[in-house]
Amino acid sequence: MKYRASRTTLPQAGAIAILSAALAAACSDKATPPAGGSAATPTSSAAEPSASSAPQPKKPPRTLQGSALALSPDGARVFVADEDHESLFVLPAGLTDEPARVIAAPGPPAQIVALDGLVLVTVRTLPTDDARAAREEIRGKTPTPEGAKSYGATTLKSAPLEMRPWTGKFIHPKDREKWLAGELEAPEPSGSAPRPAKPGEPSPKAKPSGSASASAPPKQGTPSKPFDPNTVRKSQGGLLVGYRPDPEKGLVEAFRVGVAPDAWGLGVTPDAKRAVVTSAWSGEASVIDLEASKVVASLKVDREPRGVAIAADGKTAFISHLVGTALTKITGLDAAPEATSVALPPSPPRTPFGSELGASLAYSLVFSPDGKSLYVPRHALGAEGIGAWWGAPVVDVLDTKTEKHIAPKHSPAYPKTRTNAEFIGDPPDWMASEGQPPGPRPELVQPRATVYRKKTDTLLIASEGWDALTEVDALTVDPAMFVRRTYDLSGAYDAFGHFALRGGAPSAIALSEDEDTAYVFCRTTFDVARIDLATGKASWLHLADDGLPVDAAYGRRLFTNARSFELSGGIGCAACHPDGRDDGYVWREGMLSVRFHDFPRFVGLRANVKGANENTPPNVQAAMQKPKLHPRQTPMLAGRVRASGPYGWHAENQTLIERLLAGFELHRGAWEDGGDTTAGQNIAKIDYLIDYLQSGLLPPPTPVRELSEVEKKGKAIFENKNTANCASCHVPESEFTDRTAYPLRALSTRQGFDEEENVAFKTPSLRFIAGTAPYFHDGSATTLEDLVRKNGTRMGNTSSLSADDQAALVAYLKTL
């Protein structure tokens, strides 16, 4: 069934061609922070424009939606926001040997919109002086133009619909540099790639560390540099920065507008008079008057707002979120903005009967050309399908008129699907539930960016986890199930870690005016790929080397990687821990049968656990049919893993290495054996991951300020052993935890979960707790206010606190 949209065009820039005088004013005025906004100090490094400058015709921008990569309106230049190097790059569109321009940003830049004569950039944080010094120690030197290296043109492999691609080749560590320099022809793949095993067949195992073909490279001798989260986090606020193009310097700063910390997403109205900026950690959306360079509205929204899409009338915007299923809708952009929530349940065709799915990773969203449909690539947590233990990457489509999902709910009778995939056994233990779709498309895992290609009515989606650019049909009710082409952006992978040697973790896409060329920024290898969509020819420009120590840089690539069988069953660490934070989801953990042996596993929903068949031994049938599933909320990682241990909700793992090894087992399907935890190369992978977690995965920025009187009162209550007595377990000196498991009064068992046998839970860290709702291991407390009000004497003692004291305690907790 096709969902057809009429072909009207996007508004052209008669609106974009705002008066030159207005743009000049925006570029020259020194903006002041909005009332109640951040403490960012506005500056201007641009020369004042001549008052006699004649108005010039404005060329329409390629897009008004922010991304980490943008094309100039004339298509001659590529702008890149590299937040890990805290730099902006200006490149020739042909990715030639012409030197790149490198502009040091005031903080980590996130998204760009390139107008004619004005380039807008969101900056996640303006760090304090000590935070800046700490960040520079982490990221290394600012890149230089001389550090950019071009890779020659290569033809990418395009996978047809029927293929489940493991394209690419494996390169031994000693040959990496030769291959990247074009001095070495890589071997063809030889079955090294993982695939789901057939029933009864042993799963592929990692080769032992002594194997010449798969051995880990030696530790590089670059010790990690663990940072102090309390220093690195310090922020004077987020920014929207306006730059004007300059022939000599590339970009020259014109103005700054202060917004809430962690400024990320960006959208501009068609008349270029207003912009919407999302501040992810702060949970705010700011509406900015670009002519006056000031914030006109700051709106509180749900957790982790990210992408911004503004309707053609310039009055309405939609915002996606990394956490939760709903979108935010802002109306009255041209007058008095207001924010409301719009429900968008993920993937109705994949939803098990009687269940509700969670969602995460909605980094981006995009309108159809006529504005009737809004596309949101993301993860549908708990979605059904063969092998979908955690869910599936999907593209949800909102009908903007009805504000409903266009896909029908799944019914028992229709539709039905079958598959002849060789690795799927007989029902009911291996097959999807009747009427459910087959397995999820791995090349869409961890969707990070999307654009609409009007000439073909398709969406291009960048997969952070699979290092792929995939084109899907936009005119269907379920675009993720109709893949037209997939481009492997790397072509070669490290034989040890299976991470991309180039084209790793694509995070941004831009289309040329004729829509025949796609530009992709790849964040873990710091490349820009230029792809001819008709021929598959591609070239790369390597912008800079990773500023982290080599070991931590490997860890960065492993963190996003969904290809490595040893790490997990089809998703990367960044799938559940985007930006090192959390997906806000409560998983089910239970002992599931793997070829008649029980192993601990996570599943999204109870419905994802398949039943037993006539060949299942009686002693394991009960466990397979109804295993006990306990709630486990995803914990935040960034800024919380400096200690050696213990880790786990029950403090069951004494070291971080043990916890990550346990994670390798938990994060895979019930039919898969885990990786070989005794192999030296797998321990090496963990070493690299730990280096990245402790010295490269930065915590969210939070404002530096004195505590208010209410917050000071809450701090005194927190520390008082005779009242709340919080600090006895949540020790401030050790990340607000003593890392000890205590027996606690059992909580009421939530529907869909089983009662906990072990009620001794480790004291969790309270650092950054304001942004990690819901709370408790089972997510039963939706807010901090709810947690404190209902706690009683279960943890410390809040039962005797007055309402004002409880409010003060909550206010202090939100500052941690």
Side-chain angles (χ1 to χ4, degrees):
M1 181 170 68
K2 294 278 187 179
Y3 180 80
R4 291 273 171 189
S6 61
R7 292 177 177 268
T8 58
T9 59
L10 287 171
Q12 296 302 313
I16 303 300
I18 63 175
L19 295 176
S20 264
L23 251 181
C27 292
S28 61
D29 288 351
K30 294 186 177 183
T32 56
S38 78
T41 303
T43 65
S44 175
S45 58
E48 294 291 335
S50 169
S52 62
S53 297
Q56 297 295 320
K58 297 295 178 182
K59 190 169 180 64
R62 290 297 311 127
T63 180
L64 293 167
Q65 280 189 261
S67 179
L69 180 149
L71 286 173
S72 61
D74 62 6
R77 295 178 303 284
V78 179
F79 302 103
V80 178
D82 179 356
E83 66 176 85
D84 295 290
H85 288 99
E86 300 195 6
S87 298
L88 298 165
F89 292 85
V90 184
L91 318 170
L95 303 190
T96 60
D97 291 332
E98 177 186 334
R101 305 287 185 183
V102 185
I103 299 94
Q111 292 205 333
I112 302 173
V113 168
L115 306 175
D116 192 349
L118 182 65
V119 177
L120 299 172
V121 180
T122 54
V123 175
R124 300 188 78 162
T125 177
L126 179 65
T128 60
D129 290 343
D130 55 344
R132 183 181 302 282
R135 296 173 73 93
E136 289 175 354
E137 181 71 14
I138 293 165
R139 64 173 170 78
K141 297 178 180 179
T142 300
T144 63
E146 293 74 24
K149 292 177 274 188
S150 294
Y151 298 145
T154 303
T155 300
L156 292 174
K157 292 186 177 181
S158 176
L161 176 63
E162 292 79 12
M163 291 181 64
R164 305 294 297 277
W166 175 275
T167 56
K169 307 172 183 181
F170 291 97
I171 309 296
H172 194 278
K174 66 182 178 63
D175 295 324
R176 289 174 185 148
E177 295 305 319
K178 288 184 179 180
W179 182 83
L180 288 171
E183 300 171 3
L184 176 71
E185 185 66 28
E188 291 294 333
S190 57
S192 301
R195 63 165 174 78
K198 298 177 183 178
E201 173 187 78
S203 288
K205 287 283 189 180
K207 296 185 180 180
S209 58
S211 168
S213 61
S215 61
K219 276 292 249 187
Q220 301 294 313
T222 55
S224 62
K225 301 176 182 178
F227 56 77
D228 179 0
N230 281 331
T231 300
V232 173
R233 70 188 291 186
K234 292 181 181 179
S235 175
Q236 300 175 72
L239 296 173
L240 175 67
V241 182
Y243 293 90
R244 59 180 178 82
D246 182 274
E248 298 297 326
K249 299 179 180 180
L251 292 171
V252 176
E253 186 176 324
F255 66 87
R256 296 182 183 184
V257 180
V259 294
D262 206 21
W264 199 85
L266 174 62
V268 178
T269 57
D271 61 7
K273 292 183 177 180
R274 292 202 167 183
V276 176
V277 172
T278 59
S279 293
W281 184 253
S282 302
E284 288 190 24
S286 301
V287 181
I288 297 171
D289 185 326
L290 292 175
E291 293 178 322
S293 300
K294 69 176 184 179
V295 173
V296 295
S298 294
L299 307 171
K300 292 299 293 183
V301 297
D302 291 337
R303 277 193 63 186
E304 291 286 350
R306 294 291 178 141
V308 180
I310 298 179
D313 63 6
K315 299 178 181 180
T316 304
F318 285 90
I319 294 171
S320 63
H321 295 262
L322 287 196
V323 174
T325 63
L327 306 177
T328 292
K329 179 182 180 181
I330 299 179
T331 55
L333 287 181
D334 57 337
E338 294 183 357
T340 56
S341 182
V342 176
L344 184 62
S347 194
R350 285 183 177 268
T351 301
F353 304 131
S355 300
E356 293 183 3
L357 301 184
S360 64
L361 297 190
Y363 280 101
S364 64
L365 71 175
V366 65
F367 279 110
S368 60
D370 59 10
K372 293 182 178 179
S373 300
L374 185 65
Y375 300 88
V376 188
R378 55 184 177 173
H379 277 186
L381 300 171
E384 264 284 25
I386 300 166
W389 63 269
W390 51 268
V394 298
V395 180
D396 290 307
V397 189
L398 181 78
D399 183 319
T400 57
K401 182 177 181 180
T402 64
E403 296 187 354
K404 303 291 184 183
H405 203 300
I406 69 166
K409 289 185 176 180
H410 175 219
S411 71
Y414 185 84
K416 292 184 179 180
T417 61
R418 294 291 184 265
T419 180
N420 60 358
E422 63 172 7
F423 54 83
I424 301 301
D426 293 331
D429 55 339
W430 297 101
M431 194 170 181
S433 298
E434 185 176 82
Q436 296 290 354
R441 303 291 304 200
E443 62 271 45
L444 294 175
V445 73
Q446 295 159 236
R448 182 79 189 216
T450 186
V451 296
Y452 196 104
R453 193 180 181 202
K454 291 177 286 190
K455 69 187 303 178
T456 54
D457 281 316
T458 55
L459 299 171
L460 290 171
I461 299 172
S463 164
E464 177 187 65
W466 207 255
D467 311 314
L469 180 69
T470 298
E471 194 164 11
V472 303
D473 191 341
L475 300 183
T476 69
V477 295
D478 195 354
M481 291 303 297
F482 292 87
V483 174
R484 290 191 176 183
R485 292 185 297 179
T486 297
Y487 297 106
D488 180 342
L489 291 173
S490 177
Y493 298 84
D494 180 87
F496 157 66
H498 290 178
F499 53 71
L501 299 185
R502 66 181 179 197
S507 61
I509 313 168
L511 277 175
S512 61
E513 186 172 7
D514 62 8
E515 297 189 328
D516 287 334
T517 303
Y519 294 84
V520 183
F521 175 55
C522 302
R523 183 175 171 184
T524 59
T525 51
F526 306 103
D527 309 313
V528 172
R530 183 180 187 272
I531 303 165
D532 185 320
L533 295 174
T535 66
K537 286 280 187 181
S539 58
W540 290 262
L541 183 64
H542 178 62
L543 301 180
D545 292 334
D546 199 321
L548 295 176
V550 174
D551 297 7
Y554 286 159
R556 189 203 300 272
R557 299 189 191 189
L558 290 169
F559 189 78
T560 61
N561 182 10
R563 290 178 177 262
S564 175
F565 173 79
E566 288 81 15
L567 296 185
S568 76
I571 60 174
C573 306
C576 298
H577 303 281
D579 274 358
R581 302 174 188 180
D582 68 273
D583 57 12
Y585 194 65
V586 181
W587 295 86
R588 279 83 174 155
E589 180 181 350
M591 298 298 291
L592 305 185
S593 182
V594 181
R595 270 181 286 285
F596 316 137
H597 297 283
D598 287 349
F599 290 94
R601 292 288 190 265
F602 283 153
V603 291
L605 292 176
R606 187 176 295 278
N608 301 142
V609 180
K610 304 306 177 188
N613 63 18
E614 65 276 8
N615 298 318
T616 306
N619 63 322
V620 297
Q621 283 192 18
M624 289 188 68
Q625 290 172 348
K626 193 176 181 181
K628 290 188 175 181
L629 299 177
H630 302 126
R632 294 292 180 263
Q633 186 193 161
T634 304
M636 180 176 173
L637 299 179
R640 285 185 171 184
V641 290
R642 297 183 73 194
S644 58
Y647 288 93
W649 279 105
H650 296 302
E652 62 266 37
N653 304 116
Q654 294 306 302
T655 66
L656 190 52
I657 284 181
E658 287 183 20
R659 186 60 196 166
L660 290 177
L661 281 171
F664 289 5
E665 190 74 53
L666 287 164
H667 298 86
R668 62 185 70 249
W671 55 91
E672 298 175 326
D673 285 341
D676 184 354
T677 58
T678 65
Q681 60 173 306
N682 290 342
I683 300 298
K685 289 185 177 74
I686 295 177
D687 283 342
Y688 294 149
L689 277 171
I690 291 174
D691 282 357
Y692 175 59
L693 295 179
Q694 295 184 337
S695 63
L697 189 60
L698 297 181
T702 52
V704 177
R705 58 176 178 79
E706 292 293 326
L707 294 181
S708 69
E709 292 304 314
V710 171
E711 291 162 349
K712 290 178 181 177
K713 178 182 177 181
K715 183 175 185 290
I717 294 170
F718 182 89
E719 296 173 347
N720 192 325
K721 293 183 178 181
N722 297 319
T723 53
N725 195 26
C726 305
S728 293
C729 297
H730 295 285
V731 181
E733 293 76 19
S734 58
E735 299 182 358
F736 290 91
T737 171
D738 61 2
R739 300 195 167 274
T740 301
Y742 297 99
L744 298 173
R745 185 177 69 253
L747 297 170
S748 298
T749 303
R750 297 184 63 191
Q751 184 176 359
F753 299 97
D754 292 300
E755 184 179 357
E756 295 276 357
E757 292 88 358
N758 183 357
V759 294
F761 287 94
K762 178 175 70 69
T763 307
S765 173
L766 298 184
R767 182 169 278 152
F768 307 109
I769 191 173
T772 61
Y775 303 103
F776 295 137
H777 68 283
D778 63 353
S780 58
T782 56
T783 66
L784 281 174
E785 290 82 357
D786 186 37
L787 185 155
V788 170
R789 184 175 61 253
K790 296 179 180 179
N791 174 68
T793 59
R794 185 172 182 269
M795 301 181 302
N797 184 0
T798 59
S799 61
S800 61
L801 298 181
S802 66
D804 287 344
D805 286 349
Q806 289 184 358
L809 177 58
V810 168
Y812 172 65
L813 292 174
K814 291 181 178 180
T815 69
L816 298 181

